[in-house]
Amino acid sequence: MRTALLQSSGRPGSIAENLKVLDEAAGRAAAAGAALLAAPEMFLTGYAIGDDIARFAEPADGDSADAIAEIAGRHGLAIAYGYPERDGDTVHNSAQLISADGTRLANYRKTHLFGGFERDHFTPGEQPVVQAELNGLTVGLMICYDVEFPENVRAHALAGTDLLVVPTAQMHPFQFVAESLVPVRAWESQMYVAYVNRVGREGEFEFVGLSVLAGPDGVARARAGREEQLVLADADPAFLAASREANPYLKDRRPGLYGSLV
């Protein structure tokens, strides 16, 4: 499945402008044969927008979800994107996957919040594995800091995730996560990992870009630089099946020894 990663910070503070950026990227991705477009963490609103997070937060089935469903349907590809989700008085840092026919397939709430900024503005989610079927692949959702916990990714592997989509807001000086850790996660848990980042300075944060789609062999199929960019690569189910057959990590696990992890 051809997957497009939209490395962009959009226009922080403007949902309308970010929908335009997403629409334009969806057109380019579809023209290049992509079946899935992934956008970064909090792409809908911007990340470093302070108390506006609560003001802009929407339910998973809100107006912006409807607008993105229309974009997905018009261009004929699925879209995964990050946004602030309102659930009553609670706000979550969430990612949603919408199919090419406009169906909301999956909604994930970030389980591991990073730093004081996120803990001040969000409530952590409680469901570590959220998945949907898309074009013959089991697609899982995760957000940024979540992927840095190997237990999280392994839980997806054991649940059958083939392609893990990770909208992110990875900042300086932690670029080694994009450069090294993400390909290792793909290798050790035998899946594709699509890690799609913001880029440039936003408030107090400097986002490093370096978005990557890593394969189960630990090799980057596509990697962005440090500027706004749309990169594409394929998640190949046949290659994934062969890699899982050749790599014994999941088969050689001894869960009875791991009780100390919990």
Side-chain angles (χ1 to χ4, degrees):
M1 179 173 67
R2 182 150 296 174
T3 301
L5 310 183
L6 173 58
Q7 178 168 286
S8 172
S9 289
R11 308 294 177 264
S14 176
I15 292 175
E17 290 299 315
N18 290 329
L19 289 173
K20 289 179 182 177
V21 173
L22 191 66
D23 191 359
E24 188 274 337
R28 287 193 286 142
L36 170 64
L37 170 66
E41 181 177 4
M42 292 286 288
F43 182 78
L44 182 64
T45 60
Y47 182 89
I49 58 173
D51 291 339
D52 281 343
I53 288 173
R55 182 166 68 89
F56 286 146
E58 298 183 23
D61 60 353
D63 291 344
S64 294
D66 289 343
I68 293 172
E70 190 278 329
I71 292 170
R74 180 155 39 82
H75 293 291
L77 82 174
I79 297 176
Y81 66 99
Y83 74 109
E85 179 194 356
R86 177 167 296 284
D87 183 7
D89 294 331
T90 301
V91 176
H92 299 280
N93 184 339
S94 296
Q96 183 151 232
L97 174 65
I98 295 179
S99 74
D101 67 5
T103 302
R104 293 188 304 110
L105 295 179
N107 188 69
Y108 170 78
R109 297 168 173 175
K110 189 173 186 178
T111 55
H112 295 75
L113 301 180
F114 178 78
F117 177 82
E118 291 192 7
R119 288 191 288 270
D120 286 345
H121 290 93
F122 299 110
T123 296
E126 298 296 332
Q127 186 174 354
V129 177
V130 173
Q131 301 168 309
E133 298 303 311
L134 184 66
N135 290 34
L137 292 175
T138 299
V139 176
L141 295 175
M142 194 174 281
I143 299 174
C144 197
Y145 193 41
D146 291 326
V147 81
E148 298 177 38
F149 293 82
E151 303 92 337
N152 262 16
V153 183
R154 182 53 57 84
H156 268 273
L158 296 175
T161 293
D162 300 314
L163 169 62
L164 184 61
V165 178
V166 188
T168 191
Q170 179 64 62
M171 56 196 70
H172 178 82
F174 306 112
Q175 49 266 32
F176 69 89
V177 173
E179 293 171 335
S180 302
L181 187 147
V182 169
V184 169
R185 289 286 178 270
W187 162 258
E188 69 190 5
S189 281
Q190 286 298 290
M191 62 176 63
Y192 287 94
V193 180
Y195 185 82
V196 55
N197 200 9
R198 306 179 69 82
V199 66
R201 185 165 290 281
E202 189 179 330
E204 63 184 288
F205 307 111
E206 181 186 351
F207 301 113
V208 301
L210 302 175
S211 299
V212 60
L213 195 151
D217 53 359
V219 174
R221 299 297 192 275
R223 185 181 291 281
R226 299 293 187 98
E227 66 283 337
E228 295 211 350
Q229 198 172 351
L230 184 73
V231 297
L232 297 97
D234 293 330
D236 180 356
F239 182 87
L240 179 59
S243 181
R244 286 173 170 171
E245 184 63 30
N247 186 313
Y249 281 150
L250 298 182
K251 290 180 288 188
D252 287 351
R253 292 174 65 253
R254 297 181 62 194
L257 301 179
Y258 309 149
S260 61
L261 292 178
V262 295

